[in-house]
Amino acid sequence: MNLQRSIFFIVLVFIFCLISNHHLKNEFWVDEFYTLFNFVLVPIETTLYDYHVPNNHILFSLIIKVYILIIGFFDFKIVIENPVIARLPMLLLAIGVLYQYWKITSYFFKNINWRYVSVLLLCGNVVFGNFIFQYRGYGLSMLFLSFVFHFVLKAIFEKNKNVLNYIVIVLSAFGAFYTIPSNLYFILAIAISCLFFGYANKNKVISKEKFLGISSVLALGIILGLISYFPIFNAVFFNKDVTNVTPFAFINFYKIIKVLFDLSSYHVLLYVFGIYSFIVVLRSRRWNFSSLFYIPLIVCILPFIFSFLHGDEPPVRVYSVILPFYTILLTWSLMKLSQQFNIEQTKNLFTIIPIYILVHFVSVELYINHKTKSLNQEGRGKHGLIFQYHNYQFNPLMLLDILSKNNDLKPVYYFEFIDGLEMLIDRYGYDIQKREISDIQDSEFLLIINDPRVVNKQTDVFEINNLMPDSKYFKVYEMRKK
């Protein structure tokens, strides 16, 4: 292993260890509570057939249910109080996605150094860490879609028909669809992108027979998913949370800009490079429609068009699963710029790039952590692809520890909606009442609140003792009337 590859490997392992150490220790947040309460720590019939809200990523819930049974974490309290052990399957998902992505890059980058760059860009993307370790189906979806993409590429380029490729495509398409129904958009986008590539490619890499074979197995995977959803078909596809609202709503085209920017994880320079390369191609009028890079490009764009046509407005986290496809395009923009300026063969280029990715990753993590603290101090828990308050400053265990030490000595109140509080109260059975501050008659009590600015206005009436840092999401104040 030469020096450059040693640097790549060291940086990759270092970044992976950082995100694993950070996210494995994340305390469980609201949607994860809900998944555990309603779809995992329940009878298997409930896991399979309860779809009262789209939170049930059924195949994921089923896999986690099996894992929890194996390790013996039968109680909700045991699960949320041991996040590292509970999240270990997510670590395997992360490794699986990176490995599949490494395989995928071999079809796009002849120079192995660009493959290393691409894997580093994926691993060092904050969106990857935010979603791959969540106790929800996004990481599993990313893995299944990576399998679909990898084995579709294998089916396209292998001269001899390999039945195993098609079996993996069927199972992976089924797995993605049965995990989250919206993954249907991405599966269809892969099929359409292959059709475009086959039609545009002058070398006829995809014969009519091969395309029909790939399309058939993708369709079979979808059909198997529909069969699995059959007992709850109406709940899944006509749920009030997913039913089409306004077809042809142009909000989806605003959303595509926001989502694609967030997926870049602030690699703004790579956007500049990509736009520059596009302008160069445009001016030269040399459009290579047979380029393999059109496949990930189409996969990244088509789901937004499907949403536009259907009229649904899925939360932005649904699009986190296209990150591997998107990272290929980010790598392409960097590669094209280096080629246009003849610096691809520069001796130190592939030493500088991993150092840049590492510095960028650490800088973005520090910025997000700082910004999340600021938002929490203003009582705003931001939730998107990049800023996710629960991944940085969400602290249910600290709250529960304070409540357990209080031991009913002081009454406990809250007066505003606080994400996740009601579910914790319900499971732990603490006596907490919802009441406006002005209606509280006790001379001494604990107040759970999200916005510390409200408490700061009470200094004339109360002596106030902050029991936890302001930067945390849950805040508890000991209030004593003067």
Side-chain angles (χ1 to χ4, degrees), residues 120 149 151 170 251 367 392 418:
L120 267 182
F149 192 28
F151 282 86
V170 170
I251 188 174
Y367 169 70
Y392 292 85
I418 304 176

Side-chain angles (χ1 to χ4, degrees), residues 240-453:
K240 61 181 177 61
D241 294 307
V242 297
T243 304
N244 57 321
V245 181
T246 311
F248 309 106
F250 281 92
I251 188 174
N252 282 297
F253 287 98
Y254 161 76
K255 187 179 290 184
I256 188 174
I257 297 172
K258 179 71 169 68
V259 169
L260 294 182
F261 178 80
D262 286 352
L263 285 173
S264 73
S265 190
Y266 294 123
H267 282 291
V268 180
L269 278 178
L270 301 190
Y271 269 128
V272 175
F273 298 162
I275 293 170
Y276 175 82
S277 299
F278 175 78
I279 293 172
V280 169
V281 172
L282 188 66
R283 292 182 64 183
S284 66
R285 299 181 182 179
R286 292 179 298 180
W287 292 95
N288 181 14
F289 287 110
S290 63
S291 171
L292 193 60
F293 287 95
Y294 279 101
I295 294 181
L297 178 63
I298 292 171
V299 172
C300 287
I301 293 174
L302 271 185
F304 294 96
I305 296 176
F306 293 150
S307 286
F308 172 72
L309 297 175
H310 183 227
D312 53 25
E313 294 182 19
V316 293
R317 57 184 175 270
V318 164
Y319 297 103
S320 64
V321 299
I322 61 174
L323 185 59
F325 302 89
Y326 193 63
T327 306
I328 289 172
L329 300 177
L330 290 177
T331 311
W332 174 86
S333 69
L334 187 56
M335 181 185 72
K336 289 299 291 183
L337 188 83
S338 70
Q339 291 173 347
Q340 287 163 12
F341 284 93
N342 297 315
I343 60 174
E344 187 176 27
Q345 302 303 322
T346 302
K347 182 179 179 181
N348 294 321
L349 178 65
F350 294 107
T351 301
I352 296 170
I353 290 177
I355 302 301
Y356 154 73
I357 294 174
L358 174 60
V359 171
H360 180 273
F361 168 77
V362 173
S363 301
V364 170
E365 285 287 332
L366 291 174
Y367 169 70
I368 293 172
N369 197 51
H370 172 74
K371 183 69 174 178
T372 306
K373 286 182 179 181
S374 299
L375 291 170
N376 282 342
Q377 287 171 347
E378 299 170 3
R380 293 189 294 150
K382 198 168 183 180
H383 184 61
L385 289 178
I386 290 181
F387 290 104
Q388 299 209 16
Y389 66 92
H390 51 83
N391 275 340
Y392 292 85
Q393 300 293 332
F394 199 62
N395 57 320
L397 296 183
M398 187 180 292
L399 169 67
L400 294 169
D401 182 60
I402 289 175
L403 293 178
S404 67
K405 290 176 179 177
N406 181 53
N407 198 26
D408 297 328
L409 295 177
K410 299 182 184 69
V412 184
Y413 299 103
Y414 72 104
F415 69 87
E416 60 181 350
F417 171 79
I418 304 176
D419 228 1
L421 180 61
E422 286 83 357
M423 280 189 277
L424 285 172
I425 293 170
D426 180 62
R427 284 291 164 143
Y428 277 79
Y430 291 114
D431 182 16
I432 302 176
Q433 301 176 51
K434 188 173 184 179
R435 194 173 297 176
E436 293 292 332
I437 297 180
S438 58
D439 295 332
I440 299 174
Q441 300 301 316
D442 303 272
S443 60
E444 191 173 354
F445 58 91
L446 299 185
L447 180 67
I448 303 173
I449 199 168
N450 179 242
D451 188 349
R453 294 173 298 180

Side-chain angles (χ1 to χ4, degrees), residues 172-236:
S172 301
F174 162 74
F177 187 37
Y178 195 46
T179 300
I180 304 179
S182 61
N183 287 332
L184 175 62
Y185 284 175
F186 307 103
I187 296 169
L188 291 176
I190 291 173
I192 293 171
S193 66
C194 290
L195 174 62
F196 177 87
F197 176 71
Y199 179 79
N201 197 287
K202 298 177 182 178
N203 299 323
K204 301 298 179 184
V205 176
I206 307 180
S207 64
K208 183 178 180 180
E209 179 185 1
K210 189 176 286 187
F211 174 74
L212 288 175
I214 294 171
S215 300
S216 298
V217 292
L218 286 172
L220 180 57
I222 293 169
I223 291 169
L224 291 175
L226 289 172
I227 293 171
S228 299
Y229 282 130
F230 182 75
I232 51 173
F233 189 86
N234 286 335
V236 173

Side-chain angles (χ1 to χ4, degrees), residues 77-95:
K77 295 178 183 179
I78 298 176
V79 176
I80 72 162
E81 290 170 11
N82 295 276
V84 175
I85 297 174
R87 291 190 194 275
L88 284 179
M90 282 46 290
L91 185 65
L92 297 178
L93 283 180
I95 294 171

